[in-house]
Amino acid sequence: MLRLNLSNDPRWLDLGHGVRLLVEPLTTAIMLAARSDPAIVAAVAEAESTSSNDDLARIVAKAVARIVVKDWEGVGDEDGEQLALTPEGIDALLELWPIFEAFQTKYIAGALILDAEKNA
């Protein structure tokens, strides 16, 4: 049985290392909006010649994050001062491998993979 969560409320996503993101649920509309991001369009156009699947995954994750992330905690500058949420900050955060991997696993893949549930 597929269980649908019909809530549109944002939720906190723990990415480890003290970083949490307040994210909207990943919907078809968000994925379609992310697909029209100019960086994704360019990456897809170059995919056959230069871009790897890893490059495309990184670009897609950033495009999705710029749409869905509404707040963050645990992200500071070199002096430890809390940084304001910006698109550039989201991109920089996702350049950190452990954060990118957690976002991919806990948010993007978690929303795209449908688990079949069995009755007890």
Side-chain angles (χ1 to χ4, degrees), residues 2-103:
L2 174 64
R3 294 186 184 191
L4 295 177
N5 180 354
L6 300 177
S7 172
N8 289 329
D9 295 335
R11 65 178 176 88
W12 284 102
L13 179 68
D14 184 0
L15 299 181
H17 306 280
V19 174
R20 292 186 342 144
L21 303 178
L22 183 63
V23 294
E24 293 180 353
L26 186 55
T27 63
T28 301
I30 288 170
M31 288 302 292
L32 292 173
R35 279 185 14 188
S36 24
D37 184 290
I40 293 177
V41 172
V44 169
E46 296 177 21
E48 294 177 1
S49 60
T50 60
S51 293
S52 72
N53 286 338
D54 291 339
D55 290 336
L56 190 54
R58 184 176 46 83
I59 292 165
V60 169
K62 287 179 180 182
V64 168
R66 287 190 301 267
I67 295 169
V68 301
V69 175
K70 301 304 172 196
D71 198 2
W72 63 11
E73 292 179 350
V75 181
D77 64 14
E78 57 273 358
D79 297 323
E81 298 295 323
Q82 180 77 19
L83 285 175
L85 180 66
T86 64
E88 298 79 18
I90 290 170
D91 287 354
L93 181 66
L94 289 178
E95 283 298 323
L96 302 172
W97 174 254
I99 300 299
F100 167 79
E101 187 70 13
F103 186 75

